[in-house]
Amino acid sequence: MDFSDTREEAEFRQEARQWLSENAPTHLEESLASSGFGRTNTGDNDPLAEAKKWQKKKSEAGWACIQWPKEYGGRGATPIQSVIWNQEEGIYGRLSATFIIGHGMCGPTVMAYASEELKQKYLPKLSSGEEIWCQLFSEPASGSDLAGLRTKAEKDGDEWVINGQKIWTSGAQHSDYGILITRTDPEVPKHQGLTMFILNMKAEGVDVRPIKQANGDSGFNEVYFENVRITDDHRLGAVGGGWQVSLTTLMNERLAIGGGIATGYPEIKELLESLPLAGGKAIDNPAVRSKLADWHCKAAGLKNTASRAITALSKGDTPGPENSIGKLVAGSMMQDVAKFALDLQGLGGIMMDPEVAEGTARFQAMLMRSPAVRIEGGTDQILRNIIAERVLGLPADMRADKGLPFNKIPSGN
Amino acid sequence: MNFDFSDQEKLIRDQTGRFLGDNCKSEEVRRVLEGNDSYARELWSGLANMGLMATAIPEAYGGVGGGYLGLCVIAEQLGAHLAPVPMSSSIYLAAEAITLYGDESQKETWLPKLATGETIGTLAAVETVQEMTPESINVESDGKTISGTKLIVPDGGIADIAVVLARSTDGLSMFIVDLNEGAVSRTNVDTVDPSKNSASITFNGAPAELLGEAGNGWSMLQDIYDRAAVLFAFEQIGGAQKVLDMAVDYAKQRFAFGRPIGSFQGLKHMMADMYVALKLAESNCFYAAWALANNAADLSTAAATARVSATQAFQLCSRDNIQVHGGMGFTWEVDCHLFYRRSNYLTLVLGGLSVWENRLIESLSASKAA
Ligand SMILES: Cc1cc2nc3c(=O)[nH]c(=O)nc-3n(C[C@H](O)[C@H](O)[C@H](O)COP(=O)(O)OP(=O)(O)OC[C@H]3O[C@@H](n4cnc5c(N)ncnc54)[C@H](O)[C@@H]3O)c2cc1C
């Protein structure tokens, strides 16, 4: 066991640090630091433009998507180098929020399934931030039950014609491309009739409509398809093999989301150490100490679990379903942290105005965004099912749709 | 970075696990639990023959000098098999105290014997049924002898020597006392986990030898507890993994309403939560093992973090394992209660959850101030 950098790791860290010290957008540091959870604050500058600018700069110097092969816009870095880079990039990494889905999920899927020609065509521009990608999976009638999706793709000569609707598509309003999962055969059991495509979001018949979220932001969208045409060379994987392809995406999703996931721990620790209560400082109250100790253990546990996963990764193991615990722990922890922080602020806890509320209303932002963490990318319940079935080997749920052709499955409406 | 045990350490873990699997079945634990023996003597000599007690004791004093990572994986296996042996008292506490604070002659006298298991040691601190504070220590020493009563001493009925916290003219100090010399009387006490011996010990002017600096006893105790906490935490995650396995196995076999109970989400999600608590604790234990082996600056924080999360994990897992087993889980015959008992014993024997939560916050504040 050894936590210190090896000589090569130390050299790599030094190289990254050196480049960052000369190139990082330091004028944004302060606003980025005060970003409320789920938001990227770039002060008076347009967040998307700043995000693209930083990504481009990194890309030109070989610091974008560093784990990807060089020919696709990366630098062929190891998993550990990638962790080191993230540590060094620090707060500027917040600028990359717009790219997480593209870089973390779409890119690896395209890399695994697209033709060489399409990889050359799409990946470098995805890496450099010139083009933004989204993930078109969930539908109104199929979120957790993703394989129950209905968006239709029908073959017409060398093309596919898409009709239907996706929902909750994060970033669709900014996106140039997306990976789209469709139903190509409704007469076979649901997992067998799916096919994955690369979709040009600017194609005729694609209609993106932002949805206003519970916290007031509009990060996700409805996306409608009316006779949208996709050429067959933009198919990812076999016809009917879409489920397999989606597993690649979802596995990478767990890694992308699970790694440095926010828990609210540093924020609550800072608050409790400084906040006065009637009987003294908050941190001196036994009930407060007990909660903080618990949260410390959870945050440390996630960090240490991630270190173990990285070690396994660097030895060539593939990340397994055990990585599901990150989001499961972090989501409800953050919700608890936010509630507790507000509870200690008296009536002031209800204020959302960042000018007045404690810490630019950071806990209020967490309160309002954390419910989504427990839903997006697999709900808490689905994650527990995954742990129970795929890690612990418990029997699968009894399913009402087992073996039925898709078009014979009860849908409740 | 390499955050995993080495192949060598994994080998020690597997060998220990296999040996315990053969020699520490539930009947062996129950023999002690039901009062037919005060500890598993043959098992203890078997472990001694494997050299396990000697693992972290320095070579110069009859040990293997193999370091703490090996001892951590051994502790995990002892916890998994509920081994009714005095490893924690003798090695994590007494041998550690003497290694850390003993003078040359004390180390030469005691460590080789502790390393072979022929001498069993323990640590005697607690005197009241309230939380232990410096003020609660009333056992007294004139520097040469010791008098007073330690209310509850883990493995106190079977130990040969004890490291004793007592009040001397300089304040609280540590002493080594040979329990087999006269002027010591012991009474076994009933506890939630009778598979581990516990006794109350009264000293009536028993000969005592100062260990370490006079007046420094309380702070020495904290350091000893920090280090031992890592090893106790490994016993706890060992036990937690075992009960999670028990629960999963039972849930696959037992049917109700025409299906395996393991297909009910109420139980699946409960076991998923057991798994999550265990994973977090295990990862924190890994980090603490590293901190212990390397005497890291953040050892106190790492130890308390491992201790708190391992306590939470073993308590949750042993409790919900009973739930998964239904009525069977509440019988004497099925092993669930053995783990439930041990989890609560391990929680309290080194200071309970709230004590360690408090220590964790103290160490976080201290490291911030430094
Ligand atoms: C902020 C945000 C961003 C998102 N971004 C994207 C995106 O970019 N692309 C994309 O494709 N999707 C995205 N999603 C969608 C997300 O993946 C789905 O919302 C999620 O998978 C849940 O599906 P659902 O909303 O249909 O809820 P449902 O599946 O209807 O779930 C409703 C409730 O039923 C429970 N439930 C369902 N099935 C089971 C079961 N088998 N066992 C136990 N309980 C069950 C759920 O846990 C939940 O509590 C996003 C969602 C959010 C909130």
Side-chain angles (χ1 to χ4, degrees):
Chain A
M1 240 183 239
D2 190 0
F3 276 93
S4 34
D5 286 343
T6 61
R7 200 164 53 83
E8 293 83 40
E9 285 162 11
E11 278 167 17
F12 178 82
R13 190 184 293 281
Q14 186 47 39
E15 194 187 340
R17 200 172 280 181
Q18 177 74 25
W19 185 81
L20 283 161
S21 73
E22 288 159 9
N23 294 283
T26 46
H27 63 286
L28 298 175
E29 187 178 347
E30 205 175 311
S31 8
L32 284 173
S34 72
S35 299
F37 177 65
R39 294 178 180 157
T40 308
N41 180 2
T42 49
D44 296 335
N45 309 286
D46 173 38
L48 185 60
E50 292 298 333
K52 285 197 159 195
K53 230 198 281 179
W54 177 229
Q55 194 62 29
K56 181 151 187 279
K57 198 163 189 181
K58 286 196 286 185
S59 167
E60 283 163 0
W63 292 108
C65 296
I66 65 170
Q67 256 183 273
W68 294 9
K70 276 207 183 95
E71 63 267 36
Y72 304 135
R75 79 191 271 135
T78 64
I80 295 212
Q81 286 177 331
S82 168
V83 172
I84 293 174
W85 166 260
N86 289 339
Q87 288 168 349
E88 294 301 321
E89 189 184 15
I91 200 149
Y92 302 108
R94 291 192 184 183
L95 283 169
S96 311
T98 320
F99 305 116
I100 288 179
I101 289 177
H103 292 162
M105 298 165 230
C106 304
T109 310
V110 169
M111 205 143 355
Y113 289 99
S115 65
E116 187 54 40
E117 192 189 332
L118 292 193
K119 288 198 256 188
Q120 302 276 1
K121 176 171 175 200
Y122 290 121
L123 292 173
K125 286 183 185 165
L126 170 54
S127 167
S128 69
E130 190 179 333
E131 291 171 349
I132 296 179
W133 286 55
C134 62
Q135 177 196 10
L136 299 145
F137 282 20
S138 305
E139 297 185 7
S142 61
S144 303
D145 182 14
L146 176 61
L149 60 91
R150 299 172 181 187
T151 293
K152 252 196 310 198
E154 289 163 307
K155 194 83 189 284
D156 179 21
D158 191 30
E159 290 184 335
W160 294 84
V161 182
I162 317 292
N163 281 289
Q165 184 202 345
K166 295 288 171 180
I167 195 169
W168 322 126
T169 318
S170 301
Q173 73 274 44
H174 311 302
S175 290
D176 302 285
Y177 295 92
I179 51 175
L180 169 70
I181 187 161
T182 62
R183 181 160 308 279
T184 40
D185 186 352
E187 289 176 8
V188 293
K190 62 181 183 178
H191 291 92
Q192 295 166 23
L194 305 176
T195 305
M196 188 81 79
F197 295 96
I198 297 176
L199 170 74
N200 180 349
M201 293 294 288
K202 312 289 185 222
E204 208 182 310
V206 178
D207 180 14
V208 178
R209 303 181 197 164
I211 303 174
K212 189 165 182 180
Q213 297 170 179
N215 67 345
D217 292 351
S218 291
F220 56 34
N221 305 266
E222 293 177 292
V223 183
Y224 291 85
F225 313 103
E226 205 186 322
N227 295 321
V228 177
R229 293 193 161 258
I230 301 181
T231 51
D232 189 54
D233 64 342
H234 279 59
R235 172 165 49 79
L236 295 173
V239 175
W243 184 250
Q244 256 15 71
V245 182
S246 78
L247 293 181
T248 306
T249 317
L250 297 176
M251 173 110 84
N252 280 288
E253 175 165 33
R254 259 177 241 134
L255 272 191
I257 299 184
I261 193 160
T263 57
Y265 175 70
E267 292 87 354
I268 191 73
K269 178 164 180 277
E270 191 202 310
L271 179 78
L272 296 177
E273 281 167 349
S274 58
L275 189 79
L277 290 187
K281 274 210 239 146
I283 186 92
D284 296 326
N285 175 313
V288 170
R289 289 167 91 86
S290 170
K291 277 191 191 293
L292 185 61
D294 180 40
W295 288 327
H296 171 86
C297 288
K298 289 202 167 83
L302 290 183
K303 180 167 166 247
N304 292 326
T305 301
S307 299
R308 288 170 70 188
I310 292 155
T311 298
L313 215 57
S314 67
K315 289 182 179 162
D317 296 351
T318 38
E322 63 277 3
N323 292 300
S324 303
I325 76 168
K327 198 175 78 76
L328 181 56
V329 172
S332 53
M333 170 168 160
M334 179 180 276
Q335 212 166 12
D336 291 345
V337 159
K339 262 193 306 181
F340 190 62
L342 299 191
D343 181 63
L344 295 177
Q345 295 172 25
L347 188 54
I350 66 174
M351 290 195 297
M352 287 295 295
D353 182 350
E355 302 287 324
V356 194
E358 191 283 332
T360 63
R362 55 190 171 163
F363 293 107
Q364 287 81 354
M366 270 182 212
L367 180 81
M368 294 311 296
R369 182 60 176 73
S370 52
V373 180
R374 302 181 57 192
I375 297 168
E376 60 194 342
T379 66
D380 282 5
Q381 289 69 36
I382 293 298
L383 295 180
R384 287 194 175 90
N385 280 353
I386 289 174
I387 292 170
E389 292 174 19
R390 294 205 231 134
V391 182
L392 299 178
L394 287 164
D397 271 4
M398 304 294 263
R399 279 177 23 199
D401 58 1
K402 192 142 196 178
L404 289 183
F406 174 71
N407 53 13
K408 300 278 186 311
I409 295 173
S411 70
N413 52 39
Chain B
M1 185 183 77
N2 177 13
F3 194 25
D4 195 4
F5 285 100
S6 68
D7 289 345
Q8 170 67 20
E9 287 140 14
K10 287 178 185 166
L11 191 69
I12 297 177
R13 174 169 60 199
D14 294 348
Q15 281 171 348
T16 310
R18 254 198 312 276
F19 180 79
L20 289 166
D22 292 340
N23 297 284
C24 185
K25 300 199 168 52
S26 133
E27 302 88 80
E28 188 64 8
V29 181
R30 286 167 181 274
R31 221 164 48 76
V32 178
L33 176 82
E34 288 166 2
N36 300 322
D37 209 344
S38 44
Y39 72 106
R41 287 164 212 276
E42 270 180 47
L43 179 63
W44 184 243
S45 1
L47 296 169
N49 288 339
M50 290 174 77
L52 300 190
M53 286 76 139
T55 306
I57 292 176
E59 268 176 297
Y61 307 107
V64 173
Y68 289 93
L69 294 176
L71 194 55
C72 287
V73 297
I74 291 167
E76 182 192 352
Q77 290 306 313
L78 293 170
H81 292 88
L82 297 173
V85 293
M87 185 76 128
S88 52
S89 304
S90 196
I91 301 301
Y92 317 161
L93 292 165
E96 265 306 296
I98 294 171
T99 307
L100 283 175
Y101 300 110
D103 61 26
E104 205 52 34
S105 114
Q106 287 166 334
K107 289 196 223 178
E108 276 170 9
T109 309
W110 298 115
L111 291 179
K113 291 186 195 153
L114 291 168
T116 59
E118 72 194 82
T119 292
I120 294 172
T122 187
L123 181 99
V126 175
E127 298 178 21
T128 67
V129 289
Q130 279 127 40
E131 188 181 332
M132 184 174 56
T133 59
E135 297 71 39
S136 71
I137 304 301
N138 291 307
V139 167
E140 268 184 312
S141 173
D142 56 12
K144 295 215 163 48
T145 66
I146 197 167
S147 295
T149 297
K150 290 292 180 186
L151 183 65
I152 177 154
V153 182
D155 297 306
I158 57 178
D160 302 297
I161 62 166
V163 171
V164 184
L165 181 66
R167 192 166 293 286
S168 64
T169 45
D170 302 293
L172 294 183
S173 306
M174 290 281 194
F175 295 88
I176 301 177
V177 179
D178 187 334
L179 299 174
N180 297 324
E181 298 289 306
V184 176
S185 62
R186 327 188 208 180
T187 319
N188 286 341
V189 293
D190 286 341
T191 70
V192 291
D193 185 8
S195 69
K196 294 286 291 177
N197 172 271
S198 302
S200 119
I201 305 185
T202 299
F203 306 98
N204 295 304
E209 209 181 277
L210 181 69
L211 173 70
E213 200 184 320
N216 208 20
W218 187 257
S219 109
M220 288 161 65
L221 183 70
Q222 307 314 311
D223 287 347
I224 296 166
Y225 274 0
D226 270 352
R227 303 172 70 82
V230 179
L231 297 157
F232 275 89
F234 270 91
E235 288 203 3
Q236 290 171 306
I237 58 166
Q241 179 72 60
K242 198 54 169 264
V243 281
L244 175 56
D245 293 346
M246 273 175 83
V248 168
D249 284 347
Y250 188 74
K252 286 182 191 166
Q253 287 160 23
R254 168 85 179 167
F255 274 62
F257 299 92
R259 52 196 266 206
I261 57 169
S263 67
F264 294 116
Q265 272 196 357
L267 291 195
K268 284 165 87 167
H269 289 189
M270 193 158 93
M271 287 183 265
D273 287 340
M274 289 159 75
Y275 173 84
V276 170
L278 173 59
K279 270 297 129 175
L280 295 176
E282 201 178 82
S283 299
N284 286 334
C285 281
F286 274 40
Y287 185 79
W290 175 83
L292 177 64
N294 292 281
N295 252 319
D298 62 350
L299 174 59
S300 295
T301 304
T305 304
R307 170 77 176 152
V308 169
S309 44
T311 299
Q312 290 173 335
F314 195 15
Q315 292 219 312
L316 179 79
C317 292
S318 64
R319 182 194 84 175
D320 287 346
N321 180 41
I322 297 181
Q323 191 66 21
V324 169
H325 278 74
M328 284 303 274
F330 193 60
T331 61
W332 188 262
E333 186 190 337
V334 171
D335 287 346
C336 298
H337 73 106
L338 303 184
F339 287 91
Y340 187 60
R341 289 171 181 281
R342 182 63 61 82
S343 78
N344 285 289
Y345 170 86
L346 287 176
T347 298
L348 296 168
V349 73
L350 209 60
L353 185 59
S354 58
V355 170
W356 282 94
E357 287 173 344
N358 213 21
R359 288 174 75 106
L360 173 54
I361 301 302
E362 289 295 325
S363 70
L364 286 171
S365 312
S367 60
K368 194 176 163 235

